[in-house]
Amino acid sequence: MSSISDNGDFSTIVRLKTEKNYFLNEDITFVAIDGTFSEVTTDEGKISYIVIGMVSGKLFKNLKYVINNVKVKDEVCNCNGESRMRELEYQFWNNENADIVFFDRKLSYDRSLGIPIPSNAIGIVKDFDASIRMQLNKIPYPPWLKIETKGKEMLSGYYKLFSASWVFYFESYIFTEEPLILLSILYSLGSEPIPEALGYNYPLFLADKLVKYYRNKMDNFLKTIQIGGNIRYREFRSWMEKLRNDAKYI
């Protein structure tokens, strides 16, 4: 670890050194969960089509990993799509048993809404204040992790894995006392040579593509409903169930 001064304030920086090999004490299982939704207006209000995806795998002691499985869950509801999507993401997790769970969201915000956050969760946020990102990009020698707040329950800050990659905000409820291990895991899962995923988190990248694939399969149907005028919720739900049963949108 090292410290740097930024406008008079000192921050803790954690770095990986290329001359050192990092290993885990044991294999670690993980899941990455992401969601998306579309909304359509009927004569009974907004109806949301929500898709939740999960990508699961194992990270070995040598920090190599494999993807073992993917799952998809969808739902149609006469509700606020964004709020329901958030609830379903955490509900989806409750049925799994993994050492780490990754979310593409700010966990502290969800916690402020009264949502219970898994004690082994790591949240990664892609977008935040551009001026902050400009300052963070001046920090040399990635991969690095910059600690902003550290407590018994949560560790938060920023990380950058490669010179040409993005800076991400993170919140971790696990490895709060072991930021070097956290950075090692982020580095391993962010090293896939895919432009959109390099420096991010490959399991979360896959989960994002998975849910958007299913959502996009339904978009033409949803647009047709929107253009055709208002319908009743029961009719919309019946059509959705028929499509699902016929597997026409898969």
CSV table of all heavy atoms in Angstrom, one decimal, residues 139-196:
chain,number,residue,atom,x,y,z
A,139,ILE,N,-3.7,9.2,-11.5
A,139,ILE,CA,-3.0,8.2,-10.6
A,139,ILE,C,-2.2,7.2,-11.5
A,139,ILE,O,-2.8,6.6,-12.3
A,139,ILE,CB,-4.0,7.5,-9.7
A,139,ILE,CG1,-4.7,8.5,-8.8
A,139,ILE,CG2,-3.2,6.5,-8.8
A,139,ILE,CD1,-5.8,7.8,-7.9
A,140,PRO,N,-0.9,7.1,-11.3
A,140,PRO,CA,-0.1,6.3,-12.2
A,140,PRO,C,-0.1,4.8,-11.8
A,140,PRO,O,-0.6,4.5,-10.7
A,140,PRO,CB,1.3,6.9,-12.1
A,140,PRO,CG,1.3,7.4,-10.7
A,140,PRO,CD,-0.1,7.9,-10.4
A,141,TYR,N,0.5,4.0,-12.7
A,141,TYR,CA,0.8,2.6,-12.4
A,141,TYR,C,-0.3,1.7,-12.0
A,141,TYR,O,-0.4,1.2,-10.9
A,141,TYR,CB,1.9,2.6,-11.3
A,141,TYR,CG,3.1,3.5,-11.5
A,141,TYR,CD1,3.4,4.4,-10.5
A,141,TYR,CD2,3.8,3.5,-12.7
A,141,TYR,CE1,4.4,5.3,-10.7
A,141,TYR,CE2,4.8,4.4,-12.9
A,141,TYR,CZ,5.1,5.3,-11.9
A,141,TYR,OH,6.2,6.2,-12.0
A,142,PRO,N,-1.3,1.6,-12.9
A,142,PRO,CA,-2.3,0.6,-12.6
A,142,PRO,C,-1.8,-0.8,-12.7
A,142,PRO,O,-0.7,-1.0,-13.4
A,142,PRO,CB,-3.4,0.8,-13.7
A,142,PRO,CG,-2.6,1.5,-14.8
A,142,PRO,CD,-1.5,2.2,-14.1
A,143,PRO,N,-2.4,-1.9,-12.1
A,143,PRO,CA,-3.7,-1.8,-11.4
A,143,PRO,C,-3.5,-1.2,-10.0
A,143,PRO,O,-2.6,-1.6,-9.3
A,143,PRO,CB,-4.1,-3.3,-11.4
A,143,PRO,CG,-2.8,-4.0,-11.4
A,143,PRO,CD,-1.9,-3.2,-12.3
A,144,TRP,N,-4.5,-0.4,-9.7
A,144,TRP,CA,-4.6,0.2,-8.4
A,144,TRP,C,-6.0,0.3,-7.9
A,144,TRP,O,-6.9,0.2,-8.6
A,144,TRP,CB,-3.9,1.6,-8.3
A,144,TRP,CG,-4.4,2.6,-9.3
A,144,TRP,CD1,-3.8,3.0,-10.4
A,144,TRP,CD2,-5.7,3.3,-9.3
A,144,TRP,NE1,-4.5,4.0,-11.1
A,144,TRP,CE2,-5.7,4.2,-10.4
A,144,TRP,CE3,-6.7,3.4,-8.4
A,144,TRP,CZ2,-6.7,5.1,-10.7
A,144,TRP,CZ3,-7.8,4.2,-8.7
A,144,TRP,CH2,-7.8,5.0,-9.8
A,145,LEU,N,-6.1,0.4,-6.6
A,145,LEU,CA,-7.4,0.5,-5.9
A,145,LEU,C,-7.2,1.7,-4.9
A,145,LEU,O,-6.3,1.6,-4.0
A,145,LEU,CB,-7.8,-0.8,-5.2
A,145,LEU,CG,-9.1,-0.9,-4.4
A,145,LEU,CD1,-9.6,-2.3,-4.5
A,145,LEU,CD2,-9.0,-0.4,-3.0
A,146,LYS,N,-8.1,2.7,-5.0
A,146,LYS,CA,-8.0,3.8,-4.1
A,146,LYS,C,-9.1,3.8,-3.1
A,146,LYS,O,-10.3,3.7,-3.4
A,146,LYS,CB,-8.2,5.1,-4.9
A,146,LYS,CG,-8.1,6.4,-4.1
A,146,LYS,CD,-8.1,7.6,-5.1
A,146,LYS,CE,-7.9,8.9,-4.4
A,146,LYS,NZ,-9.1,9.3,-3.6
A,147,ILE,N,-8.8,3.7,-1.8
A,147,ILE,CA,-9.7,3.5,-0.8
A,147,ILE,C,-10.2,4.9,-0.3
A,147,ILE,O,-9.5,5.8,0.0
A,147,ILE,CB,-9.1,2.8,0.4
A,147,ILE,CG1,-8.7,1.4,0.0
A,147,ILE,CG2,-10.1,2.8,1.6
A,147,ILE,CD1,-7.9,0.7,1.1
A,148,GLU,N,-11.6,5.1,-0.4
A,148,GLU,CA,-12.2,6.3,0.0
A,148,GLU,C,-12.7,6.2,1.4
A,148,GLU,O,-12.5,7.1,2.3
A,148,GLU,CB,-13.3,6.7,-0.9
A,148,GLU,CG,-12.8,7.1,-2.3
A,148,GLU,CD,-12.2,8.5,-2.3
A,148,GLU,OE1,-12.8,9.5,-1.9
A,148,GLU,OE2,-11.0,8.5,-2.7
A,149,THR,N,-13.5,5.2,1.7
A,149,THR,CA,-14.0,5.0,3.1
A,149,THR,C,-13.7,3.5,3.5
A,149,THR,O,-13.8,2.6,2.6
A,149,THR,CB,-15.5,5.3,3.1
A,149,THR,OG1,-16.2,4.4,2.2
A,149,THR,CG2,-15.8,6.7,2.8
A,150,LYS,N,-13.5,3.3,4.7
A,150,LYS,CA,-13.2,2.0,5.2
A,150,LYS,C,-13.9,1.8,6.6
A,150,LYS,O,-13.6,2.6,7.5
A,150,LYS,CB,-11.7,1.7,5.3
A,150,LYS,CG,-11.3,0.3,5.8
A,150,LYS,CD,-9.8,0.2,5.8
A,150,LYS,CE,-9.4,-1.3,6.3
A,150,LYS,NZ,-8.0,-1.5,6.3
A,151,GLY,N,-14.7,0.8,6.7
A,151,GLY,CA,-15.4,0.5,7.9
A,151,GLY,C,-15.5,-0.9,8.1
A,151,GLY,O,-15.0,-1.7,7.3
A,152,LYS,N,-16.0,-1.4,9.2
A,152,LYS,CA,-16.1,-2.8,9.5
A,152,LYS,C,-17.1,-3.4,8.5
A,152,LYS,O,-16.9,-4.6,8.2
A,152,LYS,CB,-16.6,-3.0,10.9
A,152,LYS,CG,-15.5,-2.6,12.0
A,152,LYS,CD,-16.0,-2.9,13.4
A,152,LYS,CE,-15.0,-2.6,14.4
A,152,LYS,NZ,-15.4,-2.9,15.8
A,153,GLU,N,-18.1,-2.7,8.1
A,153,GLU,CA,-19.2,-3.3,7.3
A,153,GLU,C,-18.9,-3.1,5.8
A,153,GLU,O,-19.3,-3.9,5.0
A,153,GLU,CB,-20.5,-2.7,7.6
A,153,GLU,CG,-21.0,-3.1,9.0
A,153,GLU,CD,-22.4,-2.6,9.2
A,153,GLU,OE1,-23.0,-1.8,8.4
A,153,GLU,OE2,-23.0,-3.0,10.2
A,154,MET,N,-18.2,-2.0,5.4
A,154,MET,CA,-18.1,-1.7,3.9
A,154,MET,C,-16.8,-1.0,3.6
A,154,MET,O,-16.4,-0.1,4.4
A,154,MET,CB,-19.3,-0.9,3.4
A,154,MET,CG,-19.3,-0.8,1.9
A,154,MET,SD,-20.7,0.2,1.3
A,154,MET,CE,-20.1,1.9,1.7
A,155,LEU,N,-16.2,-1.4,2.5
A,155,LEU,CA,-15.1,-0.7,1.9
A,155,LEU,C,-15.5,-0.1,0.6
A,155,LEU,O,-16.2,-0.8,-0.2
A,155,LEU,CB,-13.9,-1.7,1.7
A,155,LEU,CG,-12.6,-1.2,1.2
A,155,LEU,CD1,-11.9,-0.4,2.2
A,155,LEU,CD2,-11.7,-2.3,0.7
A,156,SER,N,-15.1,1.2,0.4
A,156,SER,CA,-15.5,1.8,-0.9
A,156,SER,C,-14.4,2.6,-1.5
A,156,SER,O,-13.5,3.0,-0.7
A,156,SER,CB,-16.8,2.7,-0.7
A,156,SER,OG,-16.4,3.8,0.1
A,157,GLY,N,-14.5,2.9,-2.8
A,157,GLY,CA,-13.4,3.6,-3.4
A,157,GLY,C,-13.5,3.5,-4.9
A,157,GLY,O,-14.6,3.3,-5.5
A,158,TYR,N,-12.3,3.5,-5.6
A,158,TYR,CA,-12.2,3.4,-7.0
A,158,TYR,C,-11.1,2.5,-7.4
A,158,TYR,O,-10.2,2.2,-6.6
A,158,TYR,CB,-11.9,4.8,-7.6
A,158,TYR,CG,-13.0,5.9,-7.2
A,158,TYR,CD1,-12.8,6.6,-6.1
A,158,TYR,CD2,-14.1,6.1,-8.0
A,158,TYR,CE1,-13.7,7.6,-5.7
A,158,TYR,CE2,-15.0,7.0,-7.6
A,158,TYR,CZ,-14.8,7.8,-6.5
A,158,TYR,OH,-15.8,8.7,-6.1
A,159,TYR,N,-11.2,1.9,-8.6
A,159,TYR,CA,-10.1,1.1,-9.1
A,159,TYR,C,-9.9,1.3,-10.6
A,159,TYR,O,-10.9,1.6,-11.3
A,159,TYR,CB,-10.3,-0.4,-8.7
A,159,TYR,CG,-11.4,-1.1,-9.5
A,159,TYR,CD1,-11.1,-1.8,-10.7
A,159,TYR,CD2,-12.7,-1.2,-9.0
A,159,TYR,CE1,-12.1,-2.5,-11.4
A,159,TYR,CE2,-13.7,-1.9,-9.7
A,159,TYR,CZ,-13.3,-2.5,-10.9
A,159,TYR,OH,-14.3,-3.2,-11.6
A,160,LYS,N,-8.7,1.0,-11.0
A,160,LYS,CA,-8.3,1.0,-12.4
A,160,LYS,C,-7.3,-0.1,-12.7
A,160,LYS,O,-6.3,-0.2,-11.9
A,160,LYS,CB,-7.7,2.4,-12.9
A,160,LYS,CG,-7.4,2.5,-14.3
A,160,LYS,CD,-7.0,3.9,-14.7
A,160,LYS,CE,-6.7,4.0,-16.2
A,160,LYS,NZ,-6.3,5.3,-16.6
A,161,LEU,N,-7.6,-0.9,-13.7
A,161,LEU,CA,-6.8,-2.1,-13.9
A,161,LEU,C,-5.7,-2.0,-14.9
A,161,LEU,O,-4.7,-2.7,-14.9
A,161,LEU,CB,-7.7,-3.3,-14.2
A,161,LEU,CG,-8.8,-3.6,-13.1
A,161,LEU,CD1,-9.6,-4.8,-13.5
A,161,LEU,CD2,-8.2,-3.8,-11.7
A,162,PHE,N,-6.0,-1.2,-16.0
A,162,PHE,CA,-5.0,-1.1,-17.1
A,162,PHE,C,-5.0,0.4,-17.5
A,162,PHE,O,-5.9,1.2,-17.3
A,162,PHE,CB,-5.5,-1.9,-18.3
A,162,PHE,CG,-5.6,-3.4,-17.9
A,162,PHE,CD1,-6.8,-3.9,-17.6
A,162,PHE,CD2,-4.5,-4.2,-18.0
A,162,PHE,CE1,-7.0,-5.2,-17.3
A,162,PHE,CE2,-4.6,-5.5,-17.7
A,162,PHE,CZ,-5.8,-6.1,-17.3
A,163,SER,N,-3.9,0.8,-18.1
A,163,SER,CA,-3.7,2.2,-18.5
A,163,SER,C,-4.8,2.7,-19.4
A,163,SER,O,-5.2,3.8,-19.4
A,163,SER,CB,-2.3,2.4,-19.2
A,163,SER,OG,-1.2,2.1,-18.3
A,164,ALA,N,-5.2,1.8,-20.3
A,164,ALA,CA,-6.2,2.2,-21.3
A,164,ALA,C,-7.7,1.9,-20.9
A,164,ALA,O,-8.6,2.1,-21.6
A,164,ALA,CB,-6.0,1.5,-22.6
A,165,SER,N,-7.9,1.4,-19.6
A,165,SER,CA,-9.2,1.0,-19.2
A,165,SER,C,-9.9,2.1,-18.4
A,165,SER,O,-9.2,3.1,-18.0
A,165,SER,CB,-9.2,-0.3,-18.4
A,165,SER,OG,-8.5,-0.2,-17.2
A,166,TRP,N,-11.1,1.9,-18.1
A,166,TRP,CA,-12.0,2.8,-17.3
A,166,TRP,C,-11.6,2.8,-15.9
A,166,TRP,O,-11.1,1.9,-15.3
A,166,TRP,CB,-13.4,2.4,-17.6
A,166,TRP,CG,-14.4,3.5,-17.5
A,166,TRP,CD1,-15.4,3.6,-16.6
A,166,TRP,CD2,-14.6,4.6,-18.4
A,166,TRP,NE1,-16.2,4.7,-16.9
A,166,TRP,CE2,-15.8,5.3,-18.0
A,166,TRP,CE3,-14.0,5.0,-19.6
A,166,TRP,CZ2,-16.2,6.5,-18.7
A,166,TRP,CZ3,-14.4,6.1,-20.3
A,166,TRP,CH2,-15.5,6.8,-19.8
A,167,VAL,N,-12.0,3.9,-15.2
A,167,VAL,CA,-12.0,3.9,-13.7
A,167,VAL,C,-13.4,3.6,-13.2
A,167,VAL,O,-14.4,4.1,-13.7
A,167,VAL,CB,-11.6,5.3,-13.2
A,167,VAL,CG1,-11.6,5.3,-11.6
A,167,VAL,CG2,-10.2,5.7,-13.7
A,168,PHE,N,-13.5,2.7,-12.3
A,168,PHE,CA,-14.8,2.3,-11.7
A,168,PHE,C,-14.9,2.6,-10.2
A,168,PHE,O,-13.9,2.5,-9.5
A,168,PHE,CB,-15.0,0.8,-11.9
A,168,PHE,CG,-15.1,0.4,-13.4
A,168,PHE,CD1,-13.9,-0.1,-14.0
A,168,PHE,CD2,-16.2,0.5,-14.1
A,168,PHE,CE1,-13.9,-0.5,-15.3
A,168,PHE,CE2,-16.3,0.1,-15.5
A,168,PHE,CZ,-15.1,-0.3,-16.1
A,169,TYR,N,-16.1,2.9,-9.8
A,169,TYR,CA,-16.4,3.0,-8.3
A,169,TYR,C,-16.8,1.6,-7.8
A,169,TYR,O,-17.5,0.9,-8.5
A,169,TYR,CB,-17.5,4.0,-8.1
A,169,TYR,CG,-17.9,4.2,-6.7
A,169,TYR,CD1,-17.2,4.8,-5.8
A,169,TYR,CD2,-19.1,3.6,-6.3
A,169,TYR,CE1,-17.6,4.9,-4.4
A,169,TYR,CE2,-19.5,3.7,-5.0
A,169,TYR,CZ,-18.8,4.4,-4.0
A,169,TYR,OH,-19.2,4.5,-2.7
A,170,PHE,N,-16.4,1.3,-6.6
A,170,PHE,CA,-16.8,0.0,-6.0
A,170,PHE,C,-17.2,0.2,-4.6
A,170,PHE,O,-16.8,1.1,-3.9
A,170,PHE,CB,-15.6,-1.0,-6.1
A,170,PHE,CG,-14.6,-0.8,-5.0
A,170,PHE,CD1,-14.7,-1.4,-3.8
A,170,PHE,CD2,-13.5,0.1,-5.3
A,170,PHE,CE1,-13.7,-1.1,-2.8
A,170,PHE,CE2,-12.6,0.3,-4.3
A,170,PHE,CZ,-12.7,-0.3,-3.1
A,171,GLU,N,-18.0,-0.7,-4.1
A,171,GLU,CA,-18.4,-0.9,-2.7
A,171,GLU,C,-18.4,-2.3,-2.4
A,171,GLU,O,-18.9,-3.1,-3.1
A,171,GLU,CB,-19.8,-0.3,-2.4
A,171,GLU,CG,-19.9,1.2,-2.6
A,171,GLU,CD,-21.3,1.8,-2.3
A,171,GLU,OE1,-22.2,1.0,-2.4
A,171,GLU,OE2,-21.4,3.0,-2.1
A,172,SER,N,-17.6,-2.7,-1.4
A,172,SER,CA,-17.5,-4.1,-1.0
A,172,SER,C,-17.8,-4.3,0.4
A,172,SER,O,-17.4,-3.6,1.3
A,172,SER,CB,-16.0,-4.5,-1.2
A,172,SER,OG,-15.8,-5.9,-0.9
A,173,TYR,N,-18.7,-5.4,0.6
A,173,TYR,CA,-19.0,-5.8,2.0
A,173,TYR,C,-18.2,-7.0,2.4
A,173,TYR,O,-18.5,-7.6,3.4
A,173,TYR,CB,-20.5,-6.1,2.0
A,173,TYR,CG,-21.4,-4.9,2.1
A,173,TYR,CD1,-21.6,-4.1,1.0
A,173,TYR,CD2,-22.0,-4.5,3.3
A,173,TYR,CE1,-22.4,-3.0,1.1
A,173,TYR,CE2,-22.8,-3.4,3.4
A,173,TYR,CZ,-23.0,-2.6,2.3
A,173,TYR,OH,-23.7,-1.5,2.4
A,174,ILE,N,-17.3,-7.4,1.5
A,174,ILE,CA,-16.4,-8.5,1.8
A,174,ILE,C,-14.9,-8.1,1.5
A,174,ILE,O,-14.7,-7.2,0.7
A,174,ILE,CB,-16.8,-9.7,0.9
A,174,ILE,CG1,-16.1,-11.0,1.3
A,174,ILE,CG2,-16.6,-9.4,-0.6
A,174,ILE,CD1,-16.6,-12.3,0.7
A,175,PHE,N,-14.0,-8.7,2.2
A,175,PHE,CA,-12.6,-8.3,2.1
A,175,PHE,C,-12.3,-6.9,2.5
A,175,PHE,O,-11.4,-6.2,2.0
A,175,PHE,CB,-12.0,-8.5,0.6
A,175,PHE,CG,-12.3,-9.9,0.1
A,175,PHE,CD1,-13.0,-10.1,-1.0
A,175,PHE,CD2,-11.7,-11.0,0.7
A,175,PHE,CE1,-13.2,-11.4,-1.6
A,175,PHE,CE2,-11.9,-12.3,0.2
A,175,PHE,CZ,-12.7,-12.5,-0.9
A,176,THR,N,-13.1,-6.4,3.5
A,176,THR,CA,-13.0,-5.0,3.9
A,176,THR,C,-11.6,-4.8,4.6
A,176,THR,O,-11.1,-3.7,4.7
A,176,THR,CB,-14.1,-4.6,4.9
A,176,THR,OG1,-14.1,-5.6,6.0
A,176,THR,CG2,-15.4,-4.7,4.2
A,177,GLU,N,-11.0,-5.9,5.2
A,177,GLU,CA,-9.7,-5.8,5.8
A,177,GLU,C,-8.6,-6.3,5.0
A,177,GLU,O,-7.5,-6.3,5.4
A,177,GLU,CB,-9.8,-6.5,7.2
A,177,GLU,CG,-10.8,-6.0,8.2
A,177,GLU,CD,-10.6,-4.6,8.6
A,177,GLU,OE1,-9.4,-4.2,8.6
A,177,GLU,OE2,-11.5,-3.9,8.8
A,178,GLU,N,-9.0,-6.7,3.7
A,178,GLU,CA,-8.0,-7.3,2.8
A,178,GLU,C,-8.1,-6.7,1.4
A,178,GLU,O,-8.4,-7.4,0.5
A,178,GLU,CB,-8.2,-8.8,2.8
A,178,GLU,CG,-8.1,-9.5,4.1
A,178,GLU,CD,-8.5,-11.0,4.1
A,178,GLU,OE1,-9.6,-11.2,3.7
A,178,GLU,OE2,-7.7,-11.8,4.4
A,179,PRO,N,-7.9,-5.4,1.3
A,179,PRO,CA,-8.1,-4.8,0.0
A,179,PRO,C,-7.1,-5.3,-1.1
A,179,PRO,O,-7.5,-5.3,-2.3
A,179,PRO,CB,-7.8,-3.3,0.3
A,179,PRO,CG,-6.9,-3.3,1.5
A,179,PRO,CD,-7.4,-4.5,2.3
A,180,LEU,N,-6.0,-5.9,-0.7
A,180,LEU,CA,-5.1,-6.4,-1.8
A,180,LEU,C,-5.7,-7.7,-2.4
A,180,LEU,O,-5.6,-7.9,-3.6
A,180,LEU,CB,-3.8,-6.8,-1.1
A,180,LEU,CG,-2.6,-7.2,-2.1
A,180,LEU,CD1,-2.4,-6.1,-3.1
A,180,LEU,CD2,-1.4,-7.6,-1.4
A,181,ILE,N,-6.4,-8.5,-1.6
A,181,ILE,CA,-7.1,-9.7,-2.1
A,181,ILE,C,-8.2,-9.2,-3.0
A,181,ILE,O,-8.5,-9.7,-4.1
A,181,ILE,CB,-7.6,-10.6,-1.0
A,181,ILE,CG1,-6.4,-11.2,-0.2
A,181,ILE,CG2,-8.5,-11.6,-1.5
A,181,ILE,CD1,-6.8,-12.1,0.9
A,182,LEU,N,-9.0,-8.2,-2.6
A,182,LEU,CA,-10.1,-7.6,-3.4
A,182,LEU,C,-9.6,-7.1,-4.7
A,182,LEU,O,-10.1,-7.5,-5.8
A,182,LEU,CB,-10.7,-6.5,-2.6
A,182,LEU,CG,-11.8,-5.7,-3.4
A,182,LEU,CD1,-13.0,-6.6,-3.8
A,182,LEU,CD2,-12.3,-4.5,-2.6
A,183,LEU,N,-8.5,-6.4,-4.7
A,183,LEU,CA,-7.9,-5.9,-6.0
A,183,LEU,C,-7.4,-7.1,-6.9
A,183,LEU,O,-7.6,-7.1,-8.1
A,183,LEU,CB,-6.7,-5.0,-5.7
A,183,LEU,CG,-6.0,-4.4,-7.0
A,183,LEU,CD1,-7.0,-3.7,-7.9
A,183,LEU,CD2,-4.9,-3.4,-6.6
A,184,SER,N,-6.9,-8.1,-6.3
A,184,SER,CA,-6.4,-9.3,-7.0
A,184,SER,C,-7.6,-9.9,-7.7
A,184,SER,O,-7.5,-10.3,-8.9
A,184,SER,CB,-5.7,-10.3,-6.1
A,184,SER,OG,-4.6,-9.7,-5.5
A,185,ILE,N,-8.7,-10.1,-7.0
A,185,ILE,CA,-9.9,-10.7,-7.6
A,185,ILE,C,-10.5,-9.8,-8.7
A,185,ILE,O,-10.8,-10.3,-9.8
A,185,ILE,CB,-11.0,-10.9,-6.5
A,185,ILE,CG1,-10.5,-12.0,-5.6
A,185,ILE,CG2,-12.3,-11.3,-7.1
A,185,ILE,CD1,-11.3,-12.3,-4.4
A,186,LEU,N,-10.6,-8.5,-8.5
A,186,LEU,CA,-11.1,-7.6,-9.5
A,186,LEU,C,-10.2,-7.6,-10.8
A,186,LEU,O,-10.7,-7.6,-11.9
A,186,LEU,CB,-11.1,-6.2,-9.0
A,186,LEU,CG,-12.2,-5.9,-7.9
A,186,LEU,CD1,-12.0,-4.5,-7.3
A,186,LEU,CD2,-13.6,-6.1,-8.4
A,187,TYR,N,-8.9,-7.7,-10.5
A,187,TYR,CA,-7.9,-7.8,-11.7
A,187,TYR,C,-8.1,-9.1,-12.5
A,187,TYR,O,-8.1,-9.0,-13.7
A,187,TYR,CB,-6.5,-7.7,-11.1
A,187,TYR,CG,-5.4,-7.7,-12.2
A,187,TYR,CD1,-5.2,-6.5,-13.0
A,187,TYR,CD2,-4.7,-8.8,-12.5
A,187,TYR,CE1,-4.3,-6.5,-14.0
A,187,TYR,CE2,-3.7,-8.8,-13.5
A,187,TYR,CZ,-3.5,-7.6,-14.3
A,187,TYR,OH,-2.6,-7.6,-15.3
A,188,SER,N,-8.3,-10.2,-11.8
A,188,SER,CA,-8.4,-11.4,-12.5
A,188,SER,C,-9.7,-11.4,-13.3
A,188,SER,O,-9.7,-11.9,-14.5
A,188,SER,CB,-8.5,-12.6,-11.4
A,188,SER,OG,-8.8,-13.8,-12.1
A,189,LEU,N,-10.8,-11.0,-12.7
A,189,LEU,CA,-12.1,-11.0,-13.4
A,189,LEU,C,-12.2,-9.8,-14.4
A,189,LEU,O,-13.2,-9.8,-15.2
A,189,LEU,CB,-13.2,-11.0,-12.4
A,189,LEU,CG,-13.3,-12.2,-11.5
A,189,LEU,CD1,-14.4,-12.0,-10.5
A,189,LEU,CD2,-13.5,-13.5,-12.3
A,190,GLY,N,-11.3,-8.9,-14.5
A,190,GLY,CA,-11.4,-7.8,-15.4
A,190,GLY,C,-10.3,-7.8,-16.5
A,190,GLY,O,-10.1,-6.8,-17.1
A,191,SER,N,-9.7,-8.9,-16.7
A,191,SER,CA,-8.6,-9.0,-17.6
A,191,SER,C,-8.9,-9.6,-19.0
A,191,SER,O,-8.0,-9.9,-19.8
A,191,SER,CB,-7.4,-9.8,-17.0
A,191,SER,OG,-7.0,-9.2,-15.8
A,192,GLU,N,-10.2,-9.9,-19.2
A,192,GLU,CA,-10.5,-10.4,-20.5
A,192,GLU,C,-10.3,-9.4,-21.6
A,192,GLU,O,-10.7,-8.3,-21.5
A,192,GLU,CB,-12.0,-10.8,-20.5
A,192,GLU,CG,-12.3,-12.0,-19.7
A,192,GLU,CD,-11.7,-13.3,-20.2
A,192,GLU,OE1,-11.5,-13.4,-21.4
A,192,GLU,OE2,-11.4,-14.2,-19.4
A,193,PRO,N,-9.6,-9.8,-22.7
A,193,PRO,CA,-9.2,-8.9,-23.8
A,193,PRO,C,-10.4,-8.5,-24.7
A,193,PRO,O,-10.3,-8.7,-25.9
A,193,PRO,CB,-8.1,-9.6,-24.5
A,193,PRO,CG,-8.5,-11.1,-24.3
A,193,PRO,CD,-9.1,-11.2,-23.0
A,194,ILE,N,-11.5,-8.1,-24.1
A,194,ILE,CA,-12.7,-7.7,-24.9
A,194,ILE,C,-12.8,-6.2,-24.6
A,194,ILE,O,-12.9,-5.8,-23.4
A,194,ILE,CB,-13.9,-8.4,-24.5
A,194,ILE,CG1,-13.8,-9.9,-24.7
A,194,ILE,CG2,-15.2,-7.9,-25.2
A,194,ILE,CD1,-14.9,-10.8,-24.2
A,195,PRO,N,-12.8,-5.3,-25.6
A,195,PRO,CA,-12.8,-3.9,-25.4
A,195,PRO,C,-13.8,-3.4,-24.4
A,195,PRO,O,-13.5,-2.6,-23.5
A,195,PRO,CB,-13.0,-3.3,-26.8
A,195,PRO,CG,-12.5,-4.3,-27.7
A,195,PRO,CD,-12.8,-5.6,-27.0
A,196,GLU,N,-15.1,-3.9,-24.5
A,196,GLU,CA,-16.1,-3.4,-23.6
A,196,GLU,C,-16.0,-4.0,-22.2
A,196,GLU,O,-16.6,-3.4,-21.2
A,196,GLU,CB,-17.5,-3.8,-24.1
A,196,GLU,CG,-17.8,-3.3,-25.5
A,196,GLU,CD,-17.5,-4.4,-26.5
A,196,GLU,OE1,-16.5,-5.1,-26.4
A,196,GLU,OE2,-18.3,-4.5,-27.5
